[in-house]
Amino acid sequence: MKKLLLLVFLSFISLKIQSQERPKLVVGIVVDQMKMEYLYRFESDFSENGFKRLMNKGYTFHNAHYNYMPTYTAPGHASVYTGTTPSMHGIVGNEWFHRTLKKEVYCTDDATVSTLVPGTETEGKMSPRNLQSTTITDELKLATNFKGKVIGISIKDRGAILPAGHFADWAFWYTKTGEFISSSYYGEKLPSWADDFNKEKNYITYANKGWGLLKPISTYNESLPDDNPYEGKLYKKTPFFPYNMKEMLENNDPGVLRVSPYGNNLVCDFAKRAIEKEALGKDEITDFLAISFSSTDYIGHNFGPRSIEIQDTYLRLDETIAEFLNYLDATVGKDNYLVFLTADHAGAENVTHLKDNKYQVNNINYKNVSSDLKEFSKATFGEDLILKYDSFNVFFDKDLIKSKALDFIKVKQSFKDFLYTKEYVKRVYTEEEILASSPNDELLGFISKGFDPTQNGELYFVYKPGYMEYGITGTTHGSPYSYDTHVPVIFYGWHIKNGASHDKKVITQIAPTVSQLLKITMPNSTKSEVLTELFTKK
């Protein structure tokens, strides 16, 4: 009898030890359009409790990059969580012309589902069904026999849905109505706590505050003056502080909060409510919360990377992260949660600013690219053989080419030669070259990792460094160059030692690293390369 009791006791101890081999909660944070350089440029103005806490007490990878193009939001989130690139997970853009379907598709569109919030039909018909690979969140669900909870939250649908994966309990995203919504893919109706949060209309409280500078104007000496010519207007208002968000809300809709730091506050508030009401991190079964802060992207696009607006946004996000970490300490416990922070892409310098300082680059209008291709086609072949130009991809009307008995290989070579006459083109590749890519061609390697032959075009080209398809104000992203690929990767919390690495890393190492830390199966298409620094003893 004593031996039996001893065995039972030892079994209990063994189970207890095993249950402690994983954190109670994993929090994945993606900051949309965050350059690693922001952590350096704004460092002196950050508090000790936000970004600095993560870096000083966690492990920072200073030289982490995306390893494919296009460097857009949806492929970025999908790649972080699947541990692979668009050529495998299938999310080749935010929206793209689909070669096989011969139509535009959006990354999370799903006509088979419906919104759970009346009045948001267009914004709510979303799901992860276009994602072809599993995610670390999916593998956690499988590893816990679906007992661990997984929730994704973002201003953007794609920022919530793709990280949360196929098996998520919930994904929530913000709409023009000022509500966080979800779709019937996840359940028949919103949880009551989400309904209650929406009824509070917190966006009004934030809008009424207005957007003024968080700190004295002298703090913002890392940015260009507030009246610089490289910033776009905010809802037709001149880009000068302070911004009357209340007036913008009254004249538009609650979507105006997206293009302000308060979009990040709303996400944080909703995330804390989810932790509380869903009891995330409250038992020994690991849960996962995927958060994406999107307002940084909206503000970056509109105002550019050298604006006071972007600096103020990051100073405020620093405070938001500090608040959130303190909340995790109080509710989950300091040693019970694992956090990683990264970005879905970085962002380019404003082209006009570069030109004004004697760098010979230009903005490119995608409509001009398309019209040039069509005019060349008519002049050369007597027909418009272009089906579509979309995000570096050239799609041909192969039925028309066949009916004209044209040699498709020669047609592509002709267009390739034409594109090389353009001052903005660095490289042009045919589908055949992409699929037979050589490791000796770095740009081709980026393209091949982002290329799906069932979805992408028959020709693909790359702009020269510094060139981009965008207007004269603000910025964009999408290229294979370091200004779009270099992002922060920081691990913090449960079993993470303090340290830093400056060796080059790739973004697809995050998912398999988290899988190894949790001792679960890696996502099914992952490259399986891990951040080995996190597995050496302290």
Side-chain angles (χ1 to χ4, degrees):
M1 184 64 178
K2 289 182 179 180
K3 288 183 178 180
L4 179 60
L5 289 172
L6 179 62
L7 286 172
V8 170
F9 176 75
L10 290 174
S11 296
F12 173 78
I13 294 297
S14 176
L15 286 171
K16 185 69 174 176
I17 291 172
Q18 289 177 18
S19 70
Q20 293 173 342
E21 289 182 351
R22 293 178 188 155
K24 291 185 176 182
L25 178 65
V26 180
V27 179
I29 299 175
V30 176
V31 183
D32 209 323
Q33 201 187 123
M34 184 176 185
K35 298 156 70 77
M36 182 67 198
E37 182 254 349
Y38 289 152
L39 288 177
Y40 308 142
R41 198 195 326 165
F42 307 144
E43 180 181 10
S44 62
D45 301 320
F46 288 145
S47 71
E48 296 298 320
N49 303 313
F51 289 118
K52 283 185 180 179
R53 175 178 173 182
L54 293 176
M55 296 179 72
N56 293 338
K57 297 184 179 180
Y59 201 101
T60 304
F61 295 91
H62 289 265
N63 194 19
H65 291 262
Y66 277 86
N67 53 346
Y68 63 83
M69 71 173 294
T71 40
Y72 293 150
T73 295
H77 283 80
S79 297
V80 167
Y81 279 84
T82 62
T84 190
T85 59
S87 63
M88 295 299 292
H89 61 60
I91 304 299
V92 297
N94 294 333
E95 58 277 318
W96 62 93
F97 185 81
H98 193 295
R99 182 202 296 192
T100 304
L101 300 177
K102 291 184 171 60
K103 69 174 186 178
E104 294 282 342
V105 299
Y106 179 69
C107 57
T108 54
D109 267 346
D110 188 348
T112 70
V113 302
S114 57
T115 184
L116 299 184
V117 178
T120 63
E121 283 71 23
T122 302
E123 297 174 282
K125 295 172 73 64
M126 304 286 171
S127 87
R129 286 198 171 108
N130 292 328
L131 182 63
Q132 298 172 17
S133 303
T134 63
T135 59
I136 45 177
T137 46
D138 287 330
E139 297 301 338
L140 180 63
K141 293 292 286 189
L142 292 169
T144 61
N145 289 324
F146 288 80
K147 294 176 182 177
K149 289 184 177 180
V150 170
I151 294 176
I153 300 169
S154 178
I155 290 291
K156 296 181 180 179
D157 48 59
R158 53 191 181 267
I161 292 169
L162 297 172
H166 302 274
F167 307 141
D169 295 271
W170 287 103
F172 302 98
W173 54 98
Y174 187 71
T175 75
K176 291 182 291 186
T177 64
E179 298 163 294
F180 281 92
I181 68 169
S182 193
S183 78
S184 59
Y185 180 88
Y186 302 98
E188 296 180 358
K189 62 179 182 178
L190 282 185
S192 58
W193 64 263
D195 266 330
D196 291 341
F197 184 94
N198 287 336
K199 290 173 184 175
E200 293 170 11
K201 298 185 184 299
N202 295 291
Y203 63 87
I204 296 176
T205 302
Y206 283 117
N208 287 343
K209 291 181 178 181
W211 181 13
L213 291 175
L214 178 66
K215 297 189 177 185
I217 187 63
S218 59
T219 305
Y220 300 85
N221 57 354
E222 294 87 359
S223 301
L224 293 175
D226 197 22
D227 59 349
N228 77 78
Y230 312 115
E231 303 175 331
K233 293 183 178 181
L234 184 59
Y235 290 91
K236 300 181 180 180
K237 301 295 182 181
T238 53
F240 306 141
F241 281 100
Y243 292 96
N244 189 335
M245 301 302 299
K246 180 179 180 182
E247 180 183 319
M248 291 180 189
L249 175 60
E250 291 171 349
N251 294 332
N252 297 278
D253 59 54
V256 300
L257 270 292
R258 294 168 173 164
V259 197
S260 81
Y262 299 130
N264 295 331
N265 292 100
L266 284 170
V267 165
C268 182
D269 293 343
F270 194 80
K272 289 190 293 185
R273 191 72 59 90
I275 291 171
E276 176 192 354
K277 298 300 182 181
E278 294 289 340
L280 301 183
K282 290 299 184 184
D283 56 28
E284 301 304 321
I285 301 173
T286 302
D287 300 317
F288 202 119
L289 179 63
I291 302 172
S292 179
F293 291 112
S294 308
S295 290
T296 44
D297 184 68
Y298 289 110
I299 293 165
H301 276 296
N302 197 63
F303 297 103
R306 299 285 165 181
S307 64
I308 288 179
E309 284 81 357
I310 201 70
Q311 181 172 356
D312 192 69
T313 297
Y314 275 94
L315 297 187
R316 290 175 180 274
L317 181 58
D318 179 63
E319 290 194 342
T320 300
I321 288 174
E323 174 191 339
F324 187 65
L325 293 175
N326 289 336
Y327 180 82
L328 291 175
D329 290 343
T331 57
V332 183
K334 284 187 177 182
D335 300 321
N336 294 326
Y337 63 88
L338 170 67
V339 172
F340 68 82
L341 182 145
T342 188
D344 54 347
H345 53 75
E349 295 288 349
N350 177 270
V351 173
T352 311
H353 183 220
L354 297 178
K355 286 174 64 177
D356 287 349
N357 286 278
K358 301 181 182 180
Y359 183 12
Q360 296 303 303
V361 291
N362 269 312
N363 298 94
I364 308 301
N365 188 321
Y366 81 94
K367 291 181 180 178
N368 292 341
V369 177
S370 182
S371 62
D372 285 351
L373 288 166
K374 290 177 181 293
E375 288 173 12
F376 170 77
S377 182
K378 292 174 184 176
T380 306
F381 301 100
E383 296 279 359
D384 180 7
L385 304 180
I386 302 298
L387 188 62
K388 182 79 172 178
Y389 165 68
D390 182 64
S391 297
F392 319 112
N393 290 263
V394 181
F395 298 84
F396 290 93
D397 189 336
K398 289 189 282 188
D399 291 336
L400 180 58
I401 291 171
K402 185 177 181 180
S403 71
K404 296 293 181 181
L406 296 171
D407 185 325
F408 192 25
I409 293 177
K410 291 182 178 179
V411 168
K412 285 187 286 188
Q413 185 61 47
S414 179
F415 277 90
K416 184 176 178 179
D417 293 341
F418 167 71
L419 282 167
Y420 271 124
T421 68
K422 295 297 181 180
E423 54 102 13
Y424 53 80
V425 171
K426 182 67 176 177
R427 292 283 190 276
V428 188
Y429 301 100
T430 65
E431 174 187 4
E432 291 79 11
E433 291 169 326
I434 295 169
L435 295 177
S437 63
S438 165
N440 297 322
D441 189 329
E442 186 176 1
L443 290 178
L444 181 54
F446 271 81
I447 292 172
S448 67
K449 292 182 180 70
F451 187 87
D452 182 339
T454 68
Q455 301 188 84
N456 287 100
E458 290 86 11
L459 274 187
Y460 200 108
F461 66 90
V462 185
Y463 288 138
K464 291 177 181 176
Y467 286 76
M468 66 183 184
E469 285 184 7
Y470 211 64
I472 62 173
T473 59
T475 192
T476 193
H477 46 84
S479 82
Y481 301 116
S482 61
Y483 51 78
D484 282 341
T485 66
H486 189 194
V487 298
V489 172
I490 306 172
F491 279 75
Y492 170 86
W494 181 85
H495 286 194
I496 299 299
K497 63 182 179 180
N498 171 243
S501 169
H502 292 271
D503 293 338
K504 185 176 181 180
K505 307 296 180 183
V506 291
I507 210 71
T508 50
Q509 291 177 281
I510 292 176
T513 296
V514 174
S515 297
Q516 292 273 279
L517 289 169
L518 300 183
K519 298 182 179 179
I520 63 175
T521 302
M522 293 183 182
N524 59 14
S525 296
T526 182
K527 304 296 183 182
S528 303
E529 297 174 346
V530 302
L531 300 166
T532 55
E533 292 87 343
L534 298 181
F535 298 93
T536 57
K537 293 183 178 180
K538 296 184 180 181

